[in-house]
PDB file of all heavy atoms in Angstrom:
ATOM      1  N   MET O   1     -16.590 -10.326  21.548  1.00  0.00           N
ATOM      2  CA  MET O   1     -16.435  -9.163  20.675  1.00  0.00           C
ATOM      3  C   MET O   1     -15.169  -8.382  20.907  1.00  0.00           C
ATOM      4  O   MET O   1     -14.780  -8.102  21.990  1.00  0.00           O
ATOM      5  CB  MET O   1     -17.619  -8.225  20.910  1.00  0.00           C
ATOM      6  CG  MET O   1     -17.742  -7.026  19.908  1.00  0.00           C
ATOM      7  SD  MET O   1     -19.249  -6.065  20.324  1.00  0.00           S
ATOM      8  CE  MET O   1     -19.118  -4.845  18.983  1.00  0.00           C
ATOM      9  N   ARG O  27      -3.120  -6.216 -21.950  1.00  0.00           N
ATOM     10  CA  ARG O  27      -3.824  -6.755 -20.789  1.00  0.00           C
ATOM     11  C   ARG O  27      -3.980  -5.754 -19.617  1.00  0.00           C
ATOM     12  O   ARG O  27      -3.269  -4.706 -19.725  1.00  0.00           O
ATOM     13  CB  ARG O  27      -3.068  -7.981 -20.236  1.00  0.00           C
ATOM     14  CG  ARG O  27      -1.644  -7.636 -19.686  1.00  0.00           C
ATOM     15  CD  ARG O  27      -0.994  -8.740 -19.123  1.00  0.00           C
ATOM     16  NE  ARG O  27       0.357  -8.482 -18.507  1.00  0.00           N
ATOM     17  CZ  ARG O  27       0.525  -8.093 -17.290  1.00  0.00           C
ATOM     18  NH1 ARG O  27      -0.562  -7.925 -16.531  1.00  0.00           N
ATOM     19  NH2 ARG O  27       1.656  -7.829 -16.755  1.00  0.00           N
ATOM     20  N   PRO O  48       6.966  -9.039  -8.231  1.00  0.00           N
ATOM     21  CA  PRO O  48       7.893  -9.138  -9.427  1.00  0.00           C
ATOM     22  C   PRO O  48       7.740  -7.998 -10.314  1.00  0.00           C
ATOM     23  O   PRO O  48       6.676  -7.311 -10.295  1.00  0.00           O
ATOM     24  CB  PRO O  48       7.454 -10.431 -10.155  1.00  0.00           C
ATOM     25  CG  PRO O  48       5.997 -10.651  -9.778  1.00  0.00           C
ATOM     26  CD  PRO O  48       5.871 -10.053  -8.343  1.00  0.00           C
ATOM     27  N   THR O 113       2.014  29.940   0.327  1.00  0.00           N
ATOM     28  CA  THR O 113       2.727  30.449   1.344  1.00  0.00           C
ATOM     29  C   THR O 113       3.697  31.556   0.816  1.00  0.00           C
ATOM     30  O   THR O 113       4.571  31.226   0.008  1.00  0.00           O
ATOM     31  CB  THR O 113       3.526  29.446   2.063  1.00  0.00           C
ATOM     32  OG1 THR O 113       2.612  28.452   2.542  1.00  0.00           O
ATOM     33  CG2 THR O 113       4.181  29.984   3.351  1.00  0.00           C
ATOM     34  N   LYS O 162      -1.207  13.915   3.454  1.00  0.00           N
ATOM     35  CA  LYS O 162      -1.935  12.690   4.109  1.00  0.00           C
ATOM     36  C   LYS O 162      -1.151  11.506   3.921  1.00  0.00           C
ATOM     37  O   LYS O 162      -1.021  10.575   4.728  1.00  0.00           O
ATOM     38  CB  LYS O 162      -3.310  12.554   3.633  1.00  0.00           C
ATOM     39  CG  LYS O 162      -4.250  13.688   3.914  1.00  0.00           C
ATOM     40  CD  LYS O 162      -4.610  13.498   5.377  1.00  0.00           C
ATOM     41  CE  LYS O 162      -5.660  14.528   5.706  1.00  0.00           C
ATOM     42  NZ  LYS O 162      -6.125  14.401   7.178  1.00  0.00           N
ATOM     43  N   GLU O 168      10.525   2.729  -4.592  1.00  0.00           N
ATOM     44  CA  GLU O 168      11.945   2.179  -4.481  1.00  0.00           C
ATOM     45  C   GLU O 168      12.910   3.357  -4.333  1.00  0.00           C
ATOM     46  O   GLU O 168      13.921   3.440  -5.031  1.00  0.00           O
ATOM     47  CB  GLU O 168      12.270   1.412  -5.742  1.00  0.00           C
ATOM     48  CG  GLU O 168      11.479   0.100  -5.873  1.00  0.00           C
ATOM     49  CD  GLU O 168      12.043  -0.824  -6.762  1.00  0.00           C
ATOM     50  OE1 GLU O 168      12.980  -1.602  -6.395  1.00  0.00           O
ATOM     51  OE2 GLU O 168      11.454  -1.042  -7.951  1.00  0.00           O
ATOM     52  N   PRO O 169      12.735   4.187  -3.267  1.00  0.00           N
ATOM     53  CA  PRO O 169      13.647   5.416  -3.162  1.00  0.00           C
ATOM     54  C   PRO O 169      15.058   5.176  -2.845  1.00  0.00           C
ATOM     55  O   PRO O 169      15.859   5.957  -3.175  1.00  0.00           O
ATOM     56  CB  PRO O 169      12.892   6.312  -2.155  1.00  0.00           C
ATOM     57  CG  PRO O 169      12.202   5.167  -1.178  1.00  0.00           C
ATOM     58  CD  PRO O 169      11.768   4.160  -2.210  1.00  0.00           C
ATOM     59  N   LEU O 186      12.159   5.580   9.366  1.00  0.00           N
ATOM     60  CA  LEU O 186      11.300   5.035  10.519  1.00  0.00           C
ATOM     61  C   LEU O 186      11.272   6.138  11.619  1.00  0.00           C
ATOM     62  O   LEU O 186      10.162   6.378  12.221  1.00  0.00           O
ATOM     63  CB  LEU O 186      11.929   3.798  11.082  1.00  0.00           C
ATOM     64  CG  LEU O 186      11.686   2.524  10.318  1.00  0.00           C
ATOM     65  CD1 LEU O 186      12.434   1.314  10.883  1.00  0.00           C
ATOM     66  CD2 LEU O 186      10.160   2.167  10.168  1.00  0.00           C
ATOM     67  N   LYS O 191       7.797  10.516  14.098  1.00  0.00           N
ATOM     68  CA  LYS O 191       7.578  11.910  14.475  1.00  0.00           C
ATOM     69  C   LYS O 191       6.374  12.547  13.736  1.00  0.00           C
ATOM     70  O   LYS O 191       5.696  13.330  14.295  1.00  0.00           O
ATOM     71  CB  LYS O 191       8.838  12.617  14.196  1.00  0.00           C
ATOM     72  CG  LYS O 191      10.013  12.417  15.145  1.00  0.00           C
ATOM     73  CD  LYS O 191      11.257  13.226  14.759  1.00  0.00           C
ATOM     74  CE  LYS O 191      12.412  12.939  15.614  1.00  0.00           C
ATOM     75  NZ  LYS O 191      13.700  13.696  15.243  1.00  0.00           N
ATOM     76  N   ILE O 203      12.923  -8.016   0.143  1.00  0.00           N
ATOM     77  CA  ILE O 203      12.050  -8.548   1.146  1.00  0.00           C
ATOM     78  C   ILE O 203      12.488  -8.031   2.580  1.00  0.00           C
ATOM     79  O   ILE O 203      11.697  -7.630   3.417  1.00  0.00           O
ATOM     80  CB  ILE O 203      11.982 -10.056   1.235  1.00  0.00           C
ATOM     81  CG1 ILE O 203      11.440 -10.487  -0.106  1.00  0.00           C
ATOM     82  CG2 ILE O 203      11.335 -10.638   2.425  1.00  0.00           C
ATOM     83  CD1 ILE O 203      11.571 -12.067  -0.390  1.00  0.00           C
ATOM     84  N   ASN O 219      -0.688 -10.817 -12.211  1.00  0.00           N
ATOM     85  CA  ASN O 219      -1.816 -10.329 -12.826  1.00  0.00           C
ATOM     86  C   ASN O 219      -2.483  -9.031 -12.084  1.00  0.00           C
ATOM     87  O   ASN O 219      -3.577  -8.790 -12.353  1.00  0.00           O
ATOM     88  CB  ASN O 219      -3.017 -11.518 -12.764  1.00  0.00           C
ATOM     89  CG  ASN O 219      -3.230 -11.964 -11.383  1.00  0.00           C
ATOM     90  OD1 ASN O 219      -2.856 -11.413 -10.368  1.00  0.00           O
ATOM     91  ND2 ASN O 219      -4.170 -12.961 -11.325  1.00  0.00           N
ATOM     92  N   GLN O 231       8.705  -6.582  16.456  1.00  0.00           N
ATOM     93  CA  GLN O 231       9.083  -5.409  17.138  1.00  0.00           C
ATOM     94  C   GLN O 231      10.240  -4.651  16.501  1.00  0.00           C
ATOM     95  O   GLN O 231      11.264  -5.204  16.093  1.00  0.00           O
ATOM     96  CB  GLN O 231       9.393  -5.695  18.558  1.00  0.00           C
ATOM     97  CG  GLN O 231       9.653  -4.523  19.437  1.00  0.00           C
ATOM     98  CD  GLN O 231       9.767  -4.868  20.916  1.00  0.00           C
ATOM     99  OE1 GLN O 231       9.697  -5.981  21.307  1.00  0.00           O
ATOM    100  NE2 GLN O 231      10.204  -3.815  21.746  1.00  0.00           N
ATOM    101  N   PRO O 233      13.354  -1.775  16.418  1.00  0.00           N
ATOM    102  CA  PRO O 233      13.938  -2.087  15.162  1.00  0.00           C
ATOM    103  C   PRO O 233      14.085  -3.495  14.793  1.00  0.00           C
ATOM    104  O   PRO O 233      14.481  -4.295  15.675  1.00  0.00           O
ATOM    105  CB  PRO O 233      15.397  -1.376  15.285  1.00  0.00           C
ATOM    106  CG  PRO O 233      15.652  -1.418  16.837  1.00  0.00           C
ATOM    107  CD  PRO O 233      14.371  -1.291  17.470  1.00  0.00           C
ATOM    108  N   TRP O 245      10.296 -13.849   6.412  1.00  0.00           N
ATOM    109  CA  TRP O 245      11.146 -13.873   5.177  1.00  0.00           C
ATOM    110  C   TRP O 245      10.871 -15.017   4.318  1.00  0.00           C
ATOM    111  O   TRP O 245      10.683 -14.938   3.061  1.00  0.00           O
ATOM    112  CB  TRP O 245      12.632 -13.824   5.603  1.00  0.00           C
ATOM    113  CG  TRP O 245      13.495 -13.513   4.391  1.00  0.00           C
ATOM    114  CD1 TRP O 245      13.979 -12.297   3.937  1.00  0.00           C
ATOM    115  CD2 TRP O 245      14.077 -14.422   3.481  1.00  0.00           C
ATOM    116  NE1 TRP O 245      14.783 -12.343   2.862  1.00  0.00           N
ATOM    117  CE2 TRP O 245      14.791 -13.643   2.530  1.00  0.00           C
ATOM    118  CE3 TRP O 245      13.988 -15.888   3.283  1.00  0.00           C
ATOM    119  CZ2 TRP O 245      15.537 -14.366   1.528  1.00  0.00           C
ATOM    120  CZ3 TRP O 245      14.740 -16.412   2.314  1.00  0.00           C
ATOM    121  CH2 TRP O 245      15.411 -15.735   1.424  1.00  0.00           C
TER     122      TRP O 245
END
Side-chain angles (χ1 to χ4, degrees):
M1 189 175 181
R27 67 178 182 84
T113 303
K162 292 283 183 180
E168 299 195 73
L186 284 174
K191 289 179 179 177
I203 296 171
N219 59 4
Q231 187 173 352
W245 193 92

